[in-house]
Amino acid sequence: MSEKNREGKRTARQRLAVEREKQKASERRRRTLIVAASVVCVLGLAAVIGVVAANAGKDHKSESSGPVVAPSGAQGKDALAIPVGKDGAKSTLTVWEDFRCPACKAFETAYRSTIHELTDAGRLKVEYHLATLIDGNMGGSGSRTAANAGACAQDAGKFTAYHDVLYENQPVETDDAYSSKAELIDLAGKVPGLVTPSFRTCVEDGTHDSWVAKSQAAFRSGGFTGTPTVLLNGKNIYQDRTMTPAKLKQLVEQADRNQG
């Protein structure tokens, strides 16, 4: 074999060795990047889990810490019902509601004038129970914060008017605007005489937050499937597809006759 051929073979072997070394180095870099990316993903997931856990802990603490302070005049088991109307009414409407709930707003819009008419006439008593279902489903704290503000309005003897204002100004379900205490106080300005130092303090301090959490726990343990849940004399009328404001009046009149 000539010297030229031998030199050519050595050069080819050298080029092959260099290429193999490049491939090995490239594979090492690729493995390093994969491992590094995996570590970043794991750390990122751990960070997310940590943030969620921390936030969940904070939310739980804000809901349940402190004494359970029922609003003035609350009635029923564990004083979880805010009553509207006269105690002597022969019919009782029990309403489980969430101020962030669109279906609750729809019910209130359709039935509000009829309910006011019947309660003002002393023929119907309404027991409002405040839930925080949307906070759990959509995230945020607007259901709880608004419920606390509603309880503060009850302390001031202005629950019904503020209740109606909250539904009339309800944000879209995905907008947690009611988590803003300033917004809730601003809306209270629509109710004459409601915004007082004591009302502001009650809203800002979350005076009834633990009471709201207890009400939500009662909602869960009651086996209810959603808000609103509306019971007339213990019977669920919200599930009645034929129910209308006129039919509600008829049922109340019938109860009056039966108990008369």
Side-chain angles (χ1 to χ4, degrees):
M1 180 180 294
S2 68
E3 183 64 28
K4 183 177 181 180
N5 287 340
R6 283 197 296 271
E7 182 62 28
K9 287 185 177 182
R10 280 199 301 271
T11 303
R13 285 196 298 270
Q14 289 171 351
R15 286 200 302 269
L16 182 60
V18 169
E19 186 63 30
R20 285 175 178 171
E21 188 59 34
K22 287 181 179 179
Q23 290 178 353
K24 288 180 181 179
S26 177
E27 181 63 22
R28 284 195 298 270
R29 286 195 299 272
R30 189 180 72 84
R31 286 198 301 268
T32 300
L33 288 173
I34 290 174
V35 171
S38 299
V39 170
V40 169
C41 288
V42 170
L43 291 175
L45 180 59
V48 169
I49 292 173
V51 169
V52 170
N55 288 340
K58 289 177 182 177
D59 188 57
H60 176 73
K61 181 178 180 181
S62 65
E63 282 192 15
S64 60
S65 62
V68 175
V69 181
S72 176
Q75 298 178 355
K77 183 180 179 182
D78 295 327
L80 294 177
I82 294 178
V84 174
K86 298 177 181 178
D87 288 335
K90 294 178 181 178
S91 289
T92 299
L93 193 70
T94 303
V95 181
W96 290 87
E97 62 179 7
D98 181 331
F99 287 120
R100 284 183 73 186
C101 165
C104 297
K105 178 178 180 177
F107 172 78
E108 287 294 331
T109 301
Y111 286 83
R112 177 182 299 135
S113 61
T114 299
I115 291 173
H116 285 342
E117 178 186 341
L118 293 171
T119 54
D120 291 345
R123 299 167 60 191
L124 181 68
K125 176 183 177 181
V126 185
E127 294 181 344
Y128 288 101
H129 294 261
L130 307 182
T132 58
L133 187 67
I134 305 302
D135 283 358
N137 291 344
M138 304 295 296
S141 60
S143 298
R144 183 184 75 243
T145 310
N148 172 70
C152 295
Q154 170 65 13
D155 288 339
K158 297 180 181 294
F159 173 79
T160 301
Y162 187 56
H163 168 276
D164 292 350
V165 165
L166 289 179
Y167 280 118
E168 288 165 358
N169 294 273
Q170 184 189 75
V172 296
E173 188 177 14
T174 54
D175 182 359
D176 193 27
Y178 280 175
S179 65
S180 167
K181 296 175 180 179
E183 171 71 9
L184 294 169
I185 292 171
D186 184 59
L187 287 175
K190 295 178 180 291
V191 180
L194 178 54
V195 182
T196 62
S198 59
F199 175 79
R200 285 181 177 275
T201 300
C202 183
V203 173
E204 291 169 352
D205 290 353
T207 298
H208 300 295
D209 279 355
S210 294
W211 176 84
V212 173
K214 192 169 185 178
S215 182
Q216 171 61 19
F219 175 79
R220 288 196 305 265
S221 63
F224 303 119
T225 57
T227 53
T229 292
V230 185
L231 312 173
L232 178 63
N233 299 325
K235 180 180 179 180
N236 193 325
I237 63 169
Y238 189 72
Q239 294 177 342
D240 182 352
R241 301 280 183 176
T242 68
M243 186 58 58
T244 63
K247 185 174 180 179
L248 174 61
K249 288 180 69 173
Q250 291 173 358
L251 291 173
V252 171
E253 290 170 358
Q254 182 180 341
D256 285 347
R257 291 193 299 268
N258 292 342
Q259 297 180 44

